[in-house]
Amino acid sequence: MLDKITYLYIALSAIFGIIGQLLLKRGMMRIGQSEPGLLFIKKIVLSPWVVGGLVIYALGVVNWLLALSGGELSYVYPFASLSYIGIIIGSYFIFRERITWTRLAGIIVIISGVLISSRS
């Protein structure tokens, strides 16, 4: 069992990770598909959505490192999968992506897996 602050770090890591990924997606949608090269890199570096997404995602990584310092990796790591659920839900509301029955089943499996592993 972890202390409350470690659970807070896990939650913050997931939240920042989800927000960061959603911002990155928004930025890349605005940039569009491009061939790799200097022009593409310039578009990424000048995109406030992408840069903001990277900064927020980095905050998630910092919180993840703090979570790792407070618990065993084999116990803490399954909680990282909860961010997949947030991404699916956020993508549904922000980007109007579909939540198929298969994705819904995946969400249920993820939640079940986290509950099972957290009882160990």
Side-chain angles (χ1 to χ4, degrees):
M1 193 60 125
L2 303 176
D3 59 357
K4 290 179 184 178
I5 193 71
T6 303
Y7 283 114
L8 176 63
Y9 292 143
I10 292 169
L12 289 173
S13 173
I15 291 166
F16 285 132
I18 292 165
I19 293 169
Q21 288 293 330
L22 294 171
L23 289 173
L24 289 171
K25 174 64 176 171
R26 171 71 74 201
M28 295 311 295
M29 286 172 62
R30 288 183 178 244
I31 291 172
Q33 284 189 311
S34 298
E35 292 295 318
L38 291 177
L39 181 60
F40 182 64
I41 293 170
K42 181 180 176 184
K43 288 179 183 179
I44 290 171
V45 170
L46 295 176
S47 168
W49 292 99
V50 173
V51 173
L54 289 171
V55 168
I56 291 174
Y57 192 80
L59 291 173
V61 171
V62 169
N63 278 280
W64 180 248
L65 295 173
L66 291 168
L68 290 177
S69 71
E72 296 176 4
L73 178 61
S74 61
Y75 184 82
V76 173
Y77 195 74
F79 288 96
S81 63
L82 295 175
S83 63
Y84 296 126
I85 298 167
I87 293 293
I88 291 170
I89 293 169
S91 296
Y92 172 79
F93 286 107
I94 296 170
F95 305 119
R96 302 291 180 229
E97 294 182 5
R98 296 178 306 122
I99 298 179
T100 63
W101 287 107
T102 307
R103 288 182 190 165
L104 190 58
I107 288 172
I108 292 167
V109 168
I110 290 169
I111 291 171
S112 300
V114 172
L115 288 174
I116 290 168
S117 68
S118 70
R119 296 190 174 264
S120 62

